[in-house]
């Protein structure tokens, strides 16, 4: 396989580390920062700008990252970079979930069970622990077997993709790439099992069927990454637009057509400059699973869009300040419907939300969208919660 294209994203990234990540950085004498996040919580992590998406993906794959956050006054100029980051996070979680599920499926294969019965001292099950260095050494000596196994697994999958008339040319290309990426990111333990039974014709046939079945499921699930990135960008731009209009009302008192002001590049630039000066930011946050030991939560992803609440929420906020929870919760659909006319492209946002919701239902991805208002922080938080 040709080397993947390497590229750099220029975004002010805050990376909060898991216990494993913290231990790794400290043991490598890397200084950690105490980072204040958009919800005013302080945690230890690192700050990156620019950064390689591949490095972020690698850290997610080894459970080093618990949360990622970017905060900016405007997102139009970095639209593609934000969408790329959003897709990298989703793909990383899908790769990890695919690997976990495949291991669970492989150890149920008859060939593995037969091996366990006849070799009780070399059991391959959920409790099996093997040293990575040992596994890497064993697999490196079988590179030709790895290549052959990949070919036997992927050839029929690729043939099926190319012959599927329901796929567009773009979809075919994406699926061809994604299926190979899922295999390339398999854990050493899974490759150990594949190689071990490769010469067992009947055993490898069982393993091959299990892999191809799961590849089909996750190939389809990978489509969700694009839908999520589009909706997230729409939410970020909507929050940005609200902030721009609020500031425009301050700078240009009495002007009725705020949209016309924002379409003027010079005026828009001036308003953005004022938002930056006042540190008026929209934040995007990704909270990843629950770490390697959080049973049942490894495939969970919580994406948040955080922005200061509108001024017209002040009266309600004063009441909510007296409440212990300090939260007001409603669905994202209700939130969109409550946005005053002219303050956001609600039709487009609802369209993307509906599309994502339908896709998640079809692909067995649990999806929930909630909007919280934290009165004591004057903060509106849109939550998109997924379980892959």
């Amino acid at each position: 396989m040709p080397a993947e294209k390497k590229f750099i994203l220029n975004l002010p990234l805050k990376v909060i580390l898991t216990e494993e990540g913290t231990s790794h950085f400290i043991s490598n004498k890397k200084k950690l920062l105490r980072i204040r996040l958009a919800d005013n919580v302080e945690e230890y992590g690192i700050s990156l700008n620019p950064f390689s998406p591949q490095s972020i993906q690698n850290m997610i794959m080894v459970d080093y990252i618990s949360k990622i956050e970017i905060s900016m006054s405007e997102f139009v100029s970095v639209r593609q970079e934000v969408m790329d980051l959003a897709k990298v996070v989703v793909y990383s979680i899908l790769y990890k979930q695919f690997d976990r599920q495949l291991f669970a499926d492989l150890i149920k294969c008859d060939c593995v069970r037969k091996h366990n019965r006849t070799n009780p001292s070399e059991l391959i099950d959920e409790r099996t622990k093997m040293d990575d260095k040992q596994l890497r050494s064993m697999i490196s000596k079988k590179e030709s077997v790895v290549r052959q196994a990949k070919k036997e697994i992927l050839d029929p999958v690729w043939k099926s993709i190319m012959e599927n008339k329901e796929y567009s040319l773009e979809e075919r290309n994406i699926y061809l790439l994604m299926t190979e990426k899922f295999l390339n990111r398999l854990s050493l333990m899974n490759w150990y099992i594949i190689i071990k039974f490769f010469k067992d014709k009947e055993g490898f046939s069982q393993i091959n069927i299990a892999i191809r079945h799961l590849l089909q499921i996750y190939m389809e699930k990978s489509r969700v990454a694009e839908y999520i990135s589009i909706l997230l960008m729409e939410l970020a731009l909507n929050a940005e637009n609200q902030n721009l209009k609020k500031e425009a009302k301050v700078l240009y008192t009495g002007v009725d057509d705020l949209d016309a002001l924002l379409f003027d590049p010079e005026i828009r630039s001036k308003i953005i400059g004022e938002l930056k000066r006042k540190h008026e930011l929209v934040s995007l946050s990704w909270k990843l699973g629950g770490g390697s030991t959080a049973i049942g939560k490894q495939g969970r992803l919580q994406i948040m869009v955080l922005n200061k609440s509108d001024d017209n929420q002040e009266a309600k906020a004063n009441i909510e300040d007296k409440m212990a929870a300090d939260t007001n919760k409603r669905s994202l659909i209700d939130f969109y419907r409550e946005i005053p006319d002219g303050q956001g492209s609600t039709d487009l946002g609802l369209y993307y939300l509906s599309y994502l919701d339908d896709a998640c239902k079809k692909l067995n991805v649990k999806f929930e969208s909630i909007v919280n208002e934290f009165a004591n922080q004057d903060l509106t938080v849109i939550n998109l919660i997924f379980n892959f």
Side-chain angles (χ1 to χ4, degrees):
M1 178 186 176
E4 291 184 22
K5 181 181 177 183
K6 293 182 179 179
F7 63 102
I8 297 296
L9 297 182
N10 291 283
L11 295 169
L13 198 69
K14 298 174 181 176
V15 179
I16 304 305
L17 303 171
T18 61
E19 287 185 17
E20 297 99 320
T22 300
S23 297
H24 172 78
F25 274 78
I26 291 175
S27 65
N28 284 278
K29 296 181 170 57
K30 301 289 185 183
K31 186 178 180 181
L32 300 183
L33 304 174
R34 190 158 181 80
I35 297 174
R36 182 178 293 276
L37 299 172
D39 57 4
N40 279 325
V41 173
E42 287 191 354
E43 298 190 58
Y44 282 102
I46 56 175
S47 181
L48 301 171
N49 189 15
F51 63 91
S52 158
Q54 187 60 56
S55 65
I56 295 300
Q57 185 168 95
N58 292 341
M59 289 173 68
I60 293 175
M61 296 292 287
V62 293
D63 289 315
Y64 283 179
I65 296 178
S66 67
K67 192 181 290 184
I68 294 170
E69 184 175 288
I70 55 175
S71 299
M72 306 183 73
S73 294
E74 66 92 21
F75 285 85
V76 172
S77 64
V78 291
R79 179 187 177 92
Q80 192 57 55
E81 286 91 336
V82 172
M83 291 178 70
D84 286 341
L85 174 61
K87 283 184 276 190
V88 164
V89 174
V90 175
Y91 288 145
S92 301
I93 291 177
L94 288 175
Y95 294 147
K96 285 165 66 66
Q97 282 297 94
F98 175 81
D99 188 70
R100 287 191 194 98
Q101 184 61 55
L102 183 59
F103 180 76
D105 291 348
L106 292 184
I107 61 177
K108 292 176 185 174
C109 288
D110 288 342
C111 58
V112 177
R113 287 177 170 175
K114 182 180 177 181
H115 163 84
N116 287 343
R117 284 196 299 269
T118 55
N119 300 275
S121 62
E122 298 177 15
L123 291 178
I124 301 174
D125 59 21
E126 59 276 357
R127 293 181 295 276
T128 301
K129 299 290 181 186
M130 294 182 71
D131 182 69
D132 279 357
K133 288 183 180 178
Q134 181 187 358
L135 285 170
R136 195 171 284 110
S137 174
M138 293 166 62
I139 292 168
S140 66
K141 293 173 183 175
K142 301 277 188 178
E143 283 187 7
S144 61
V145 178
V146 171
R147 285 195 299 271
Q148 197 175 344
K150 277 186 183 178
K151 180 175 172 57
E152 291 197 26
I153 294 165
L154 288 174
D155 278 357
V157 174
W158 286 353
K159 185 174 185 290
S160 175
I161 291 170
M162 294 305 293
E163 291 177 350
N164 193 321
K165 304 298 182 185
E166 294 183 6
Y167 295 154
S168 66
L169 178 61
E170 184 183 8
E171 284 175 326
R172 287 194 190 107
N173 289 334
I174 290 171
Y175 291 157
L176 291 173
L177 180 63
M178 289 307 301
T179 48
E180 188 166 21
K181 282 188 172 184
F182 276 113
L183 276 195
N184 287 343
R185 284 160 177 76
L186 280 184
S187 63
L188 296 171
M189 191 64 202
N190 273 331
W191 274 116
Y192 169 74
I193 297 173
I194 293 169
I195 291 169
K196 189 173 186 67
F197 296 97
F198 181 71
K199 290 184 178 179
D200 176 352
K201 190 173 181 181
E202 186 179 338
F204 182 69
S205 176
Q206 295 169 9
I207 286 173
N208 202 349
I209 290 169
I211 296 173
R212 294 209 305 260
H213 172 70
L214 209 58
L215 272 176
Q216 180 66 37
I217 293 172
Y218 275 82
M219 180 183 77
E220 296 287 341
K221 278 190 178 185
S222 67
R223 291 160 50 192
V224 174
E226 185 74 30
Y227 305 151
I228 291 174
S229 70
I230 291 171
L231 177 60
L232 180 60
M233 197 65 240
E234 167 65 16
L235 294 171
L237 294 177
N238 191 47
E240 171 192 320
N241 199 45
Q242 290 179 40
N243 289 352
L244 287 170
K245 287 186 176 181
K246 280 191 286 185
E247 189 58 35
K249 287 179 182 178
V250 175
L251 293 176
Y252 301 94
T253 308
V255 175
D256 294 326
D257 193 351
L258 294 175
D259 285 320
L261 280 179
L262 298 182
F263 278 121
D264 184 312
E266 197 171 315
I267 293 176
R268 185 184 182 88
S269 179
K270 181 180 178 182
I271 296 171
I272 290 171
E274 195 63 17
L275 288 174
K276 289 179 179 178
R277 187 185 70 80
K278 292 181 176 179
H279 207 61
E280 295 283 354
L281 305 171
V282 175
S283 298
L284 307 182
S285 171
W286 292 260
K287 186 176 181 181
L288 312 176
S292 58
T293 58
I295 297 171
K297 291 187 177 180
Q298 295 98 327
R300 191 175 190 271
L301 172 64
Q302 181 179 0
I303 303 176
M304 290 173 280
V305 181
L306 303 96
N307 193 26
K308 281 195 173 181
S309 301
D310 287 339
D311 293 338
N312 60 18
Q313 297 292 327
E314 186 175 348
K316 184 165 65 173
N318 288 335
I319 296 171
E320 289 178 349
D321 269 334
K322 299 172 184 176
M323 299 170 63
D326 273 332
T327 63
N328 182 39
K329 182 192 296 183
R330 60 201 191 281
S331 73
L332 182 55
I333 289 177
D334 291 336
F335 175 76
Y336 263 122
R337 287 172 177 161
E338 289 169 18
I339 294 175
D341 291 340
Q343 287 198 19
S345 51
T346 58
D347 290 343
L348 194 58
L350 284 168
Y351 171 78
Y352 290 146
L353 176 62
S354 175
Y355 208 81
L356 174 60
D357 193 45
D358 287 345
C360 286
K361 286 174 182 174
K362 289 176 184 175
L363 300 171
N364 197 29
V365 175
K366 293 180 181 177
F367 169 49
E368 183 182 11
S369 59
I370 301 167
V371 180
N372 295 93
E373 286 181 42
F374 294 84
N376 61 332
Q377 296 183 43
D378 193 27
L379 195 66
T380 297
V381 183
I382 297 173
N383 289 274
L384 307 177
I385 303 166
F386 303 87
N387 204 316
F388 297 100

